[in-house]
Amino acid sequence: MTGPADRTGASDRTAGSADRTGASDRTGAAAADRRREVAVAAQRAFSLLPARADDLSAVDSGAAAGRAARRLHADPDTVERDLVTLVLTIVELLRQLMERQALHRVDQGDLTEEQEERLGLTLMLLHDRMIELCDSYGLTLEDLNLDLGPLGTLLPP
């Protein structure tokens, strides 16, 4: 026999499962929204990848032309120089960051006079070597300062 207390417990369990069902519906909807966001982001990212061979051969056919036109195309004549420019830009960015860190440490008084001297000499040699590398590829340090559009330039003036 079930008494009034048993029926109340049963109705509480039924109401609790209804609450859980509503919560799982909301969680399921949020997960579906998140999957759609990820799919759209992945589609945008894949559209930026370099063109595949079949995209390039089909450039003249109407539908593929729009898709391939948005893709990156590397000029075989300048790819070496462009790669060297990119690598030297990253090295110059790191050199400038190390220089700022060194100046900060000098200002804080964390270094001995000998360490300051050695650090200054090392940074000057690295700067001179960067200029030599740029010269050997027909570049200047200004050529390494990438324009980031509305964000400005990569390296400080």
Side-chain angles (χ1 to χ4, degrees):
M1 283 200 158
T2 55
D6 291 337
R7 280 188 290 246
T8 305
S11 66
D12 286 347
R13 284 191 298 271
T14 305
S17 69
D19 288 343
R20 282 190 300 273
T21 303
S24 68
D25 287 344
R26 286 189 300 272
T27 304
D33 288 343
R34 182 67 182 142
R35 281 192 296 275
R36 275 191 294 280
E37 288 176 18
V38 169
V40 168
Q43 185 177 13
R44 278 195 319 257
F46 287 130
S47 72
L48 297 174
L49 290 176
R52 297 184 311 254
D54 59 328
D55 288 338
L56 293 176
S57 64
V59 167
D60 293 330
S61 68
R67 188 175 68 221
R70 289 192 318 254
R71 293 183 179 257
L72 252 140
H73 298 281
D75 183 7
D77 298 330
T78 63
V79 71
E80 180 182 0
R81 185 174 192 273
D82 293 342
L83 183 60
V84 166
T85 303
L86 178 62
V87 169
L88 289 177
T89 298
I90 293 169
V91 171
E92 177 62 13
L93 176 65
L94 291 173
R95 186 195 69 76
Q96 288 187 15
L97 290 172
M98 288 177 8
E99 188 174 290
R100 287 188 193 147
Q101 182 65 31
L103 289 173
H104 178 71
R105 289 187 66 193
V106 168
D107 290 342
Q108 294 294 319
D110 292 345
L111 303 173
T112 65
E113 198 169 309
E114 180 185 322
Q115 289 173 323
E116 287 178 14
E117 190 68 31
R118 194 174 51 180
L119 187 59
L121 181 62
T122 302
L123 289 172
M124 286 190 314
L125 289 172
L126 184 56
H127 183 264
D128 292 343
R129 183 66 180 131
M130 280 296 299
I131 291 173
E132 289 174 22
L133 283 169
C134 286
D135 286 344
S136 67
Y137 286 97
L139 299 168
T140 64
L141 288 177
E142 290 80 29
D143 294 334
L144 305 181
N145 199 0
L146 300 178
D147 181 13
L148 301 176
L151 297 175
T153 56
L154 178 65
L155 303 172

